[in-house]
Amino acid sequence: MLSAILVNGLVLSGIYGMLALGFALTYGVARILNLAHTAFYMAAAYGLFFFLGRMGFAPAALLASLLVLLIALAAYKLLLEPLREHEATVLIVTIALALLLQEVVLLLFGAHFRSVPALLPGFVEVFGVRVAEQALLALLFAGVVLLLAWVFLKGTRLGLGIRAAAQDQEAAELVGISLSRAGNWAVGLGGLLAALAGLAVAPMATLEPHMWNAPLLVVLAAVVLGGLGSLPGALLGAVVLAFAEVMVVNLVPGGAFLRTAVALLILVLVLVFRPEGLFGTAFAEER
Amino acid sequence: MSRVWIAALSGFALWAGSTASAQTLRIGVVGPMAFVQGEHTWHGATLAAEELNRAGGVLVGNQRYRIELVRVDTNEMTSVTDAATAVERAITAQRVDFLIGGFRSEAVLAMTEVAADYKKPFIITGAALDGILAGRVDRNYERFKYLFRVSPTKSSDLARTSLLLLGEVVQAVRRDLRIERPKVAILAERAAWADPLVETASRLIAAPPPQGYGAEVAGTWRPSATATDVTPELTAIQRAGAQVIFTVLSGPVGVPFGRDWGRLKIPAAAVGINVEAQQETWLKATDNLGAYVATLNTLAPAVAISPKTIPFISNFQARFKQFPIYTASGAYGALYILAEALNRAGTTAADAVVRALEATDYTGPAGRIVFDKTHDVTWGPGYTTGLGVQWIGGRMQAFWPRQWRVGNQTVSYAGVQPYQLPPWVVEAWRR
C-alpha cells in the first residue's frame, strides 16, 4: 500500500505542482487571484485535442500553449490590470472568464467526452505498482518544467525581479523593479504553466468542458496551505494535497469520493488555525 | 357560375376543411440537449413523430392529430432548478400537451412535481431511480397518476440484471481460470441510486450458491461520479487481488475508468453498469483502451429483442448516423405508447389518457412494455430484460441473455455471443 501511495502521490504531485506554481506566481506578483487559472489548463487540453487532428504532437502542443499564453496575456492587459486594485472585482472577472472559456469550449466541442491519444501506451511496474508510462512521462515533464521555472526564477535577473515583486512589492518598486513588467511576465508564466499542466494531463484524462472545476479547488487549497504568494509553499501545498488524496483512496476506499473534499477541509483548517499558511504572510496581514 | 369559380370554391372548402381538421398535439421532449442522453431522447422522439405523421398522424376519436415536438432543454446535468423551470415554461408558455424524456433522477423528481402540479402526463425515458414512481404513484395516486416510465427499468431491476451479468463473469472466472472462490471488487460511483445496488451486490457476491455467487468481496471503492482519474482506486483493486470488478457507474467517471483499466491492464474483468460504455463512442472516448469492458445495455447491434429492434436501429442509424442509446429507444417507444393510448382513449383529456396508458401492452424496440401498478415498466422474461454487452473486436457484442433459465422459461435473443474474459486477465490468473 505504501508503494501505491508513494507512486500515485508523486504523479499527482507533479500535475498539481505545475498548476499551483502558476497560480501562486500570478497572485504573488500581479496580485491577481486568478480563478480562471484551471480554465486555461482546460483550454490547453482542448487546444491540443483540436490541433492534433491537423498536425503532429509537438507542433500541436506548441500551438495550444501559445494560444493559452495569448489568452492569459490578453485577459491581463484588457481586463485584469486595470482592475487589479479592486480584489473582489478581479475575482468576479476571473470566474466570469473561466465560465466564458467553458461555454466557448462547450459551443465548439459539445459536452461529449474527448480524449487525446497517449504518447506512450503501456505501463510499467514501480515497486509492484502498475503505473501508466504516460503518467511517468507526465511526472518527468512536470519535473523538468518545474525545474526550468525554478532556474528561471532563481538564476535570471528577470526571475529575481519577479520573486522580489512576489515577496515585497513596495521594496521591489523602490529598487527599480517595474511591477507592471513583472506582473506581465508572471501572468504569462502562470498561464504557460497552466497550459503545460493541461498538455501533461490531456493524454491521461477525459476532456470535458467542466474539467477545470475540481483542480481549481485543489490549487486554491494548495496555495493557501503553502501561504498565498509563496512559491515554494505552493509547491509543498500541492504535494501535501496530492498525497492526501491518494491516501484517502487507499485508506478509506468506501470514501474515495471524498478525495477532493479533503482539499476543501485542509483549506478550511488552514484558514482557521494557520491563516498565513506554511510559508506565507500575505493573507495573515490582510486579515 | 363558371366552372372556374366552382373549382375555386371547392378548393377553398377543401382547404378550409383540412385546416379545421389539422389539429396538433404538442409533445414536450425534455432532456439535457447538450449531452448525448438528451440528444438521443430528441432523436428517438423525432423518428417516431416523423413515422406517425407520415402515417397520417394520431387518430383521437374521429380527429387526426399531427404531432409537433417541442424541444425542452433542461440543463439537468448541472442544475435541478433549471430543469424544473424548463418544464414549467414548456407547460405554461410553450403550451405542450404531454411530456416525454428526462434523464438525471434528481432532476426528474423535480420535473415530475411540476408535471403533477399541472396534471400533464409525463412519460419518463431516462431516469432509473425507483422512487420516481414507487412510493408516489402507489401512495398518492391522484397527484402522481400522470407519471409513467418506459425506460430504463428501475434501478432495483437494473441491479438485478447487472448482478446476473456479474454472475456470468464469476462463472467465467471459475470455469476458465479455475478459481473456485473469485474475488470481486465493487467500484460504484457515490450517488444515491448506486447505494442499494452496492449493498445487494456485497450480500449476493458473498452468499453461498444457489442464492449467491459463493465469491469474496475484495473491497468497495466509491469514487465521485465526476472523478477524472481512478488510477489510485484501480491500483488498490489490483493490490486486493480481485479477478472481477463490478462497476456501478452512470456518470462521466466511466470513461477514465475504462482508460485507466485498459492502460494499466488491471487483471480483473470489468462488468456491471457503465453508462458511458453503452455508447458507440466508447472506444474513441477511451483511446481504444476500453475493449473487453462489459456493461448492461438496452440495445446491441444485430440483436433482435423484438421484431421492431433491427428496423428501429437501422432507421435511427440512417437518419442520425449514430447507434441509439436507451433514451432514444425509450423516447421512440414512449411516443408510440402515447399515440396508442390517445387512440384508445378517444380524447386528449389527461385523466382519460392516463387510464388508457395504464392499459398499455406495447412491444417496442427494447421489448414488451406493460406498466405495473406504480406505472413502471415491467422487468423479466416475456417483458423488458435489458442486455449484457461487451466491447470485443472494436464493436459492441451482446453476451446476455443467452439460455437464461427462469422457472420453466428460457430467454435467449438471436445474435448473443458467449462472454470472453480479457486476455490479460486470463494471462495473469490462469493456473
Side-chain angles (χ1 to χ4, degrees):
Chain A
M1 183 185 293
L2 196 65
S3 49
I5 291 172
L6 188 71
V7 173
N8 287 321
L10 265 178
V11 172
L12 206 55
S13 297
I15 305 297
Y16 287 170
M18 277 195 286
L19 278 172
L21 183 65
F23 189 93
L25 260 176
T26 314
Y27 178 77
V29 181
R31 286 290 182 266
I32 288 168
L33 261 178
N34 182 15
L35 299 184
H37 188 69
T38 49
F40 292 161
Y41 142 98
M42 178 267 290
Y46 268 96
L48 180 65
F49 169 77
F50 175 78
F51 291 123
L52 263 183
R54 286 147 188 84
M55 59 192 78
F57 194 92
L62 187 69
L63 271 182
S65 311
L66 284 175
L67 179 71
V68 171
L69 183 63
L70 279 177
I71 295 173
L73 288 174
Y76 179 64
K77 271 286 161 207
L78 300 175
L79 305 172
L80 303 173
E81 197 179 19
L83 297 170
R84 54 189 271 196
E85 301 303 323
H86 311 281
E87 287 175 5
T89 315
V90 165
L91 279 182
I92 293 165
V93 169
T94 56
I95 201 76
L97 182 63
L99 289 170
L100 183 71
L101 281 171
Q102 174 190 297
E103 295 306 312
V104 168
V105 167
L106 198 62
L107 203 65
L108 293 177
F109 299 95
H112 304 285
F113 302 120
R114 310 284 183 172
S115 75
V116 169
L119 284 174
L120 299 174
F123 69 88
V124 289
E125 292 219 356
V126 183
F127 305 125
V129 178
R130 289 189 180 188
V131 190
E133 289 170 352
Q134 184 64 41
L136 285 183
L137 184 67
L139 177 61
L140 182 72
F141 178 72
V144 171
V145 168
L146 290 173
L147 193 70
L148 286 176
W150 210 244
V151 168
F152 171 73
L153 290 169
K154 277 271 191 188
T156 66
R157 197 175 163 75
L158 188 59
L160 199 67
I162 289 174
R163 278 173 49 231
Q167 277 170 15
D168 190 330
Q169 295 215 333
E170 284 170 11
E173 213 166 14
L174 279 174
V175 295
I177 291 167
S178 160
L179 286 184
S180 171
R181 190 161 159 258
N184 248 328
W185 274 95
V187 167
L189 197 56
L192 194 61
L193 280 166
L196 294 176
L199 299 182
V201 163
M204 300 190 297
T206 305
L207 273 54
E208 55 98 17
H210 306 95
M211 63 184 281
W212 60 280
N213 290 337
L216 177 63
L217 185 64
V218 176
V219 165
L220 274 173
V223 295
V224 171
L225 175 62
L228 268 174
S230 162
L231 305 184
L235 280 178
L236 186 66
V239 173
V240 169
L241 287 170
F243 275 91
E245 281 197 17
V246 174
M247 281 170 76
V248 167
V249 173
N250 278 277
L251 301 176
V252 198
F257 62 96
L258 294 169
R259 55 191 285 191
T260 309
V262 168
L264 193 62
L265 181 68
I266 292 175
L267 176 73
V268 172
L269 290 177
V270 169
L271 286 176
V272 172
F273 295 108
R274 193 179 161 83
E276 73 275 23
L278 297 174
F279 292 98
T281 53
F283 205 76
E285 282 170 7
E286 278 168 21
R287 278 180 18 134
Chain B
M1 195 180 280
S2 74
R3 282 185 189 175
V4 175
W5 274 106
I6 292 169
L9 282 173
S10 311
F12 177 76
L14 273 174
W15 173 80
S18 67
T19 309
S21 64
Q23 307 262 17
T24 302
L25 282 170
R26 287 172 68 80
I27 317 278
V29 181
V30 304
M33 296 304 176
F35 291 78
V36 67
Q37 293 86 354
E39 185 186 292
H40 277 221
T41 309
W42 177 252
H43 287 346
T46 302
L47 197 62
E50 285 172 355
E51 288 175 9
L52 284 161
N53 283 340
R54 259 201 310 275
V58 183
L59 186 63
V60 184
N62 56 4
Q63 286 277 5
R64 283 216 168 261
Y65 284 77
R66 199 179 166 280
I67 291 176
E68 187 185 333
L69 298 181
V70 177
R71 191 181 169 98
V72 185
D73 190 348
T74 53
N75 191 31
E76 63 196 78
M77 296 301 212
T78 45
S79 167
V80 171
T81 319
D82 281 4
T85 309
V87 166
E88 182 142 25
R89 193 174 54 240
I91 295 169
T92 56
Q94 296 170 295
R95 301 280 171 198
V96 300
D97 302 301
F98 303 96
L99 293 155
I100 65 168
F103 170 67
R104 193 178 147 209
S105 290
E106 297 91 321
V108 171
L109 272 170
M111 290 191 274
T112 48
E113 288 287 348
V114 178
D117 286 345
Y118 287 94
K119 301 185 187 308
K120 288 284 172 197
F122 186 160
I123 304 179
I124 298 154
T125 63
L129 187 73
D130 286 36
I132 291 173
L133 299 174
R136 296 172 91 200
V137 178
D138 49 345
R139 297 257 174 92
N140 193 352
Y141 181 80
E142 277 312 309
R143 175 164 168 73
F144 293 114
K145 65 184 175 188
Y146 305 98
L147 312 180
F148 292 81
R149 172 162 45 201
V150 296
S151 70
T153 50
K154 59 183 180 286
S155 21
S156 53
D157 290 334
L158 288 178
R160 284 204 247 183
T161 319
S162 60
L163 288 166
L164 285 165
L165 305 187
L166 172 64
E168 291 276 316
V169 177
V170 167
Q171 280 305 326
V173 168
R174 213 167 259 148
R175 186 184 59 236
D176 298 348
L177 307 181
R178 297 195 188 96
I179 296 173
E180 250 334 283
R181 200 170 153 76
K183 282 189 177 179
V184 181
I186 299 171
L187 185 79
E189 71 187 21
R190 185 72 230 185
W193 75 274
D195 294 345
L197 188 42
V198 170
E199 196 264 322
T200 312
S202 309
R203 203 160 15 88
L204 202 67
I205 289 165
Q211 285 80 18
Y213 296 145
E216 190 182 326
V217 178
T220 302
W221 283 263
R222 304 293 305 266
S224 150
T226 54
T228 53
D229 165 36
V230 285
T231 310
E233 282 89 339
L234 287 172
T235 306
I237 287 172
Q238 187 205 345
R239 209 187 55 244
Q243 287 89 24
V244 183
I245 304 174
F246 180 57
T247 58
V248 188
L249 310 171
S250 74
V253 64
V255 177
F257 165 77
R259 286 176 64 130
D260 295 344
W261 176 78
R263 178 169 293 151
L264 299 176
K265 298 264 181 288
I266 298 296
V271 64
I273 298 174
N274 186 339
V275 172
E276 289 302 323
Q278 295 174 354
Q279 299 166 37
E280 64 174 355
T281 49
W282 170 247
L283 289 180
K284 203 173 165 195
T286 57
D287 196 14
N288 283 316
L289 293 163
Y292 291 97
V293 161
T295 178
L296 178 78
N297 209 348
T298 304
L299 301 172
V303 175
I305 298 168
S306 80
K308 288 183 187 161
T309 316
I310 303 291
F312 167 72
I313 294 173
S314 306
N315 292 340
F316 191 94
Q317 285 184 310
R319 176 83 166 77
F320 303 110
K321 315 289 177 229
Q322 293 175 59
F323 187 81
I325 67 165
Y326 73 94
T327 57
S329 55
Y332 179 87
L335 217 55
Y336 271 97
I337 285 169
L338 182 61
E340 287 185 8
L342 282 161
N343 184 253
R344 282 197 302 276
T347 168
T348 56
D351 283 23
V353 175
V354 165
R355 280 192 298 279
L357 279 169
E358 286 170 341
T360 294
D361 189 341
Y362 166 84
T363 299
R368 182 178 162 214
I369 292 170
V370 173
F371 294 119
D372 65 14
K373 70 179 171 64
T374 64
H375 292 181
D376 220 332
V377 58
T378 309
W379 176 90
Y383 298 97
T384 303
T385 59
L387 294 174
V389 300
Q390 185 180 21
W391 286 90
I392 289 184
R395 61 191 284 269
M396 197 196 293
Q397 188 173 291
F399 68 93
W400 185 91
R402 190 168 166 272
Q403 302 301 319
W404 175 40
R405 286 188 188 84
V406 187
N408 54 5
Q409 275 184 291
T410 301
V411 184
S412 205
Y413 300 138
V416 176
Q417 305 290 320
Y419 173 80
Q420 289 180 40
L421 283 169
W424 65 89
V425 176
V426 176
E427 198 182 315
W429 293 102
R430 183 162 272 170
R431 292 165 180 177

